[in-house]
């Protein structure tokens, strides 16, 4: 009932290139660094990888082969998967579908990006509204934040506290773009960007790479892989926006996608131990934990203040630092979430380990809007 | 291309910042919406090609003039703009009386801010001038006067 058929699927290796400000590092260097780390983690050689899906949205068309050739040109199928901020999540899903369908037994999902070509579907479609090009995406979420405060009574300080927690987690993550723990005073410091949002309540768009290797049950045995470090893919769901009236579409889409992913995984929201979710702007984390059913509607701010979403709390949210502090290089982000959950579920996260993490959930929304949710677990 | 009409014996000349979305010659702003003849859903900005709700083709999407009045749903003061527009300025989401949830500018004359739940309607806001002398206008929203009960 995983939505992926009856074959058991395992994440056997993960790797990252640190997320960072845009630099002169070529994207093949970013990507190959993550792939080599994932191969070493899995105990696999590149020649054993049978297919590759590359999540990418901002770098260039056709970027896969100029990257993978540096690992040895083996002739395997490779292609790019673009789904806005959910590109990496969708590439991981395609790798899962490929192995689940029995086409291959070893697939790699890689996210890689540099912010070289930022495009807009609204512009391409010739769409215009009364505000037009005068606002950035941050204003969409600033409007949403005003609505959330009106509906729940949450204060700007309570919402900003999301960035305090996630920066604290990122300070323990060697791959984070913003590796510094921040106080509430620092998070609230000017300049204001839009609405209630200050700079540190908006995620940085940078560069980086992430990789995750998915294998079949039979490959675990035939390739002699370490079953103790294998993490099970319990479900994979990808949905797109329908019409929700005046309700917030990102939250409504998150609610329905998460409900499907939990049902297909055979777990309830209360059984989830670790969550990586799309916190591009602080208010999103509060909206989405409510939409996912991790707390009661309107109660996220007080639950956060009570430490329920901390490492060691009731359910740890964004142990990596999230998009806000680990960073959001677009293509890598969704794969990086799988890397963080895998590390947590293996109990290998060191100082940022959430105790006894058994079930993890990864969530991304992407412009469009689309939403991808994966549930992973250790057996 | 200038548009002009006579009012109070003087010629008022206006052009639209967004020509597809409204007629700048109307005395008060009216929005160019679309209504689906098949399912009744009302759109602003107007859509063509097909209906998002029911999939009806373009010939079912018929022009509908929308009164530029409604209730504030969300509001944000913008401090960083990718355009040349001077900051800060304020944008709002408004649920129009005709149905659609739209995004629009708050009129610069509103100095005390709009609040969620305020009843608002649009007035012309001049955002530039053409070389020929015409005002470039757009609808921007102001709070309705309190009605004494």
């Amino acid at each position: 009932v995983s939505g992926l058929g009856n074959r058991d699927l395992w994440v056997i290796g993960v790797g990252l290139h640190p997320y960072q400000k845009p630099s002169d590092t070529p994207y093949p260097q970013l990507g190959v660094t993550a792939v080599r780390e994932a191969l070493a983690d899995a105990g696999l050689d590149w020649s054993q990888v049978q297919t590759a899906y590359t999540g990418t949205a901002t770098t260039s068309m056709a970027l896969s082969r100029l990257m993978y050739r540096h690992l040895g040109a083996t002739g395997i199928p490779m292609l790019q998967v673009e789904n806005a901020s959910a590109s990496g999540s969708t590439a991981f899903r395609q790798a899962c579908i490929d192995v689940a369908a029995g086409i291959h037994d070893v697939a790699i999902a890689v996210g890689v990006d540099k912010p070289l070509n930022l495009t807009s579907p609204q512009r391409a479609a010739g769409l215009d509204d009364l505000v037009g090009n005068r606002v950035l995406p941050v204003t969409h979420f600033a409007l949403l934040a005003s609505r959330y405060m009106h509906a729940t009574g949450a204060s700007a300080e309570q919402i900003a506290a999301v960035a305090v927690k996630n920066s604290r987690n990122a300070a323990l993550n060697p791959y984070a773009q913003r590796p510094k723990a921040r106080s509430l005073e620092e998070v609230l410091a000017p300049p204001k960007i839009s609405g209630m949002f200050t700079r540190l309540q908006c995620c940085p768009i940078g560069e980086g790479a992430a990789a995750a290797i998915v294998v079949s049950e039979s490959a675990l045995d035939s390739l002699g892989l370490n079953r103790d470090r294998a993490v099970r893919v319990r479900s994979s769901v990808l949905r797109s926006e329908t019409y929700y009236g005046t309700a917030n579409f990102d939250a409504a889409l998150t609610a329905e996608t998460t409900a499907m992913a939990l049902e297909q995984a055979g777990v309830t929201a209360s059984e989830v131990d670790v969550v990586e979710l799309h916190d591009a702007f602080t208010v999103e984390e509060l909206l989405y934990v409510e939409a996912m059913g991790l707390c009661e509607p309107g109660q996220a701010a007080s639950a956060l203040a009570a430490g329920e979403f901390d490492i060691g709390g009731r359910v740890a949210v964004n142990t990596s630092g999230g998009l806000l502090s680990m960073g959001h290089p677009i293509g890598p982000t969704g794969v990086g979430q799988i890397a963080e959950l895998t590390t947590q579920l293996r109990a290998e996260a060191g100082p940022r380990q959430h105790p006894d993490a058994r079930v993890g959930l990864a969530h991304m929304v992407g412009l469009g809007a689309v939403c991808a949710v994966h549930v992973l677990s250790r057996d | 291309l200038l548009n002009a009409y006579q009012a109070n014996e003087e010629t008022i000349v206006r052009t639209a910042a967004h020509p597809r979305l409204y007629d700048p010659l109307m005395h008060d702003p009216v929005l160019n919406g679309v209504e689906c003849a098949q399912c009744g859903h009302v759109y602003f900005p107007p859509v063509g090609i097909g209906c998002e709700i029911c999939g009806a083709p373009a010939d079912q999407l018929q022009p509908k003039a929308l009164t530029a009045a409604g209730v504030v749903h969300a509001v944000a003061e913008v401090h960083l703009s990718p355009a040349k527009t001077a900051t800060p300025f304020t944008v709002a989401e408004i649920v129009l009386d005709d149905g659609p949830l739209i995004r629009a500018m708050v009129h610069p004359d509103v100095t005390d801010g709009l609040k969620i739940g305020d009843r608002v309607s649009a007035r012309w806001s001049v955002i530039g001038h053409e070389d020929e002398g015409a005002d470039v206008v757009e609808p921007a929203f102001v709070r309705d006067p309190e009605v004494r009960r």
Side-chain angles (χ1 to χ4, degrees), chain A residues 126-136 139-140 142-144 146-147 150 192-195 241-243 245-246, chain B residues 18 21-22 41 44-45 53 73-83 85 89 91 93 95 103-105 116 138:
Chain A
L127 299 181
D128 191 17
D129 69 13
L130 291 172
V131 174
N133 64 358
R134 286 174 283 189
V135 300
L136 296 162
T139 293
H140 168 73
L143 288 162
L144 208 154
S146 79
R147 189 75 205 164
H150 176 79
K192 276 198 170 180
I193 307 293
S194 189
E241 181 182 342
T242 60
Y243 179 69
T246 58
Chain B
H18 315 272
L21 303 183
Y22 49 87
H41 192 72
F44 184 85
I53 305 299
H73 182 74
V75 65
E77 188 176 57
V78 178
H79 300 272
L80 181 69
S81 170
T85 315
F89 59 86
V91 300
E93 284 183 337
V95 182
R103 199 167 284 183
M105 305 294 283
I116 291 171
E138 68 176 355

Side-chain angles (χ1 to χ4, degrees), chain B residues 122-134:
Chain B
R123 292 199 330 224
W124 292 121
S125 172
V126 177
I127 63 166
H129 302 279
E130 292 205 328
D131 292 343
E132 296 87 347

Side-chain angles (χ1 to χ4, degrees), chain B residues 9-84:
Chain B
E9 295 173 359
E10 67 178 315
T11 302
I12 298 174
V13 186
R14 299 186 190 126
T15 63
H18 315 272
R20 207 171 62 90
L21 303 183
Y22 49 87
D23 177 355
L25 295 187
M26 301 293 282
H27 184 270
D28 292 313
V30 173
L31 303 175
N32 296 339
V34 149
E35 181 170 27
C36 176
Q38 187 164 295
C39 73
H41 192 72
V42 178
Y43 291 92
F44 184 85
V47 300
I49 306 174
C51 176
E52 176 174 343
I53 305 299
C54 72
D59 62 5
Q60 298 294 302
L61 299 171
Q62 297 167 353
K64 180 182 172 73
L66 306 178
T67 307
V71 175
V72 175
H73 182 74
V75 65
E77 188 176 57
V78 178
H79 300 272
L80 181 69
S81 170
K84 288 175 184 166

Side-chain angles (χ1 to χ4, degrees), chain A residues 40 68 72 104 109 116 165 182 202 222 276 279 296:
Chain A
Y68 297 121
H104 298 100
L116 299 176
K165 170 181 67 72
R182 300 288 191 164
C202 307
S222 65
E276 289 286 305
D279 60 332
E296 293 297 314

Side-chain angles (χ1 to χ4, degrees), chain A residues 18-356:
Chain A
Y19 299 175
Q20 59 194 24
K21 287 182 182 171
S23 75
D24 293 335
T25 307
Y27 81 81
Q29 182 70 56
L30 301 173
V32 166
T33 300
V35 173
R36 285 189 174 132
E37 193 171 289
L39 290 168
D41 184 47
L44 283 168
D45 187 81
W46 176 249
S47 63
Q48 296 171 297
V49 175
Q50 298 169 330
T51 188
Y53 293 89
T54 313
T56 180
T58 67
T59 307
S60 171
M61 66 180 282
L63 59 64
S64 288
R65 213 198 79 84
L66 289 191
M67 175 171 73
Y68 297 121
R69 66 173 176 162
H70 297 289
L71 296 150
T74 56
I76 62 170
M78 54 181 62
L79 56 89
Q80 295 68 240
V81 178
E82 189 277 305
N83 215 2
S85 288
S87 294
S89 312
T90 309
F92 178 72
R93 173 174 161 79
Q94 292 306 120
C96 291
I97 290 170
D98 188 311
V99 176
I103 299 170
H104 298 100
D105 288 298
V106 182
I108 192 166
V110 178
V112 65
D113 257 331
K114 295 172 73 75
L116 299 176
N117 292 301
L118 299 170
T119 56
S120 158
Q122 280 83 7
R123 194 162 61 228
L127 299 181
D128 191 17
D129 69 13
L130 291 172
V131 174
N133 64 358
R134 286 174 283 189
V135 300
L136 296 162
V138 59
T139 293
H140 168 73
F141 292 97
L143 288 162
L144 208 154
S146 79
R147 189 75 205 164
Y148 183 78
M149 289 192 280
H150 176 79
T152 67
S155 68
E157 289 75 15
Q158 285 180 305
I159 295 172
V162 170
V164 177
K165 170 181 67 72
N166 293 353
S167 73
R168 188 166 63 234
N169 295 350
L172 305 171
N173 182 353
Y175 299 101
Q177 181 170 344
R178 283 179 177 163
K180 195 174 169 196
R182 300 288 191 164
S183 66
L184 184 60
E185 189 179 20
E186 287 175 292
V187 169
L188 290 171
K192 276 198 170 180
I193 307 293
S194 189
M196 61 155 285
F197 294 135
T198 49
R199 188 180 68 86
L200 290 177
Q201 297 189 67
C202 307
C203 68
I205 306 287
E207 65 180 28
I213 300 172
V214 179
V215 299
S216 65
E217 176 76 20
S218 62
L220 266 189
D221 294 331
S222 65
L223 299 177
L225 302 174
N226 185 351
R227 187 174 283 273
D228 292 341
R229 294 182 72 247
V231 166
R232 185 186 290 274
V233 182
R234 297 280 289 262
S235 66
S236 169
V237 177
L238 177 65
R239 298 280 299 166
S240 62
E241 181 182 342
T242 60
Y243 179 69
Y244 306 107
T246 58
N248 173 254
F249 62 81
D250 285 315
L253 180 55
T254 291
E256 68 184 38
T257 309
T258 304
M260 286 177 69
L262 290 172
E263 186 188 354
Q264 290 179 10
V267 299
T268 63
S270 62
E271 292 175 275
V272 177
D273 302 303
V274 281
V275 175
E276 289 286 305
L277 60 76
H278 182 279
D279 60 332
F281 302 94
T282 43
V283 73
E284 286 184 273
E285 181 166 312
L286 302 181
L287 272 169
Y288 299 149
V289 293
E290 292 175 13
M292 289 173 177
L294 298 174
C295 72
E296 293 297 314
Q299 297 303 306
S302 55
L304 174 72
E308 292 185 26
F309 305 133
D310 289 356
I311 293 169
R314 184 169 59 82
V315 48
V317 178
N318 286 325
T319 56
S320 68
L323 280 61
L324 279 170
S325 293
M326 184 171 176
H328 185 25
I330 314 291
T333 311
V335 183
Q337 291 182 327
I338 300 299
E340 176 66 14
L341 291 183
T342 299
T343 305
Q344 289 284 341
L345 296 172
R346 287 168 165 174
E348 293 177 355
R352 66 176 194 285
Q353 179 65 45
H354 181 64
D356 199 28

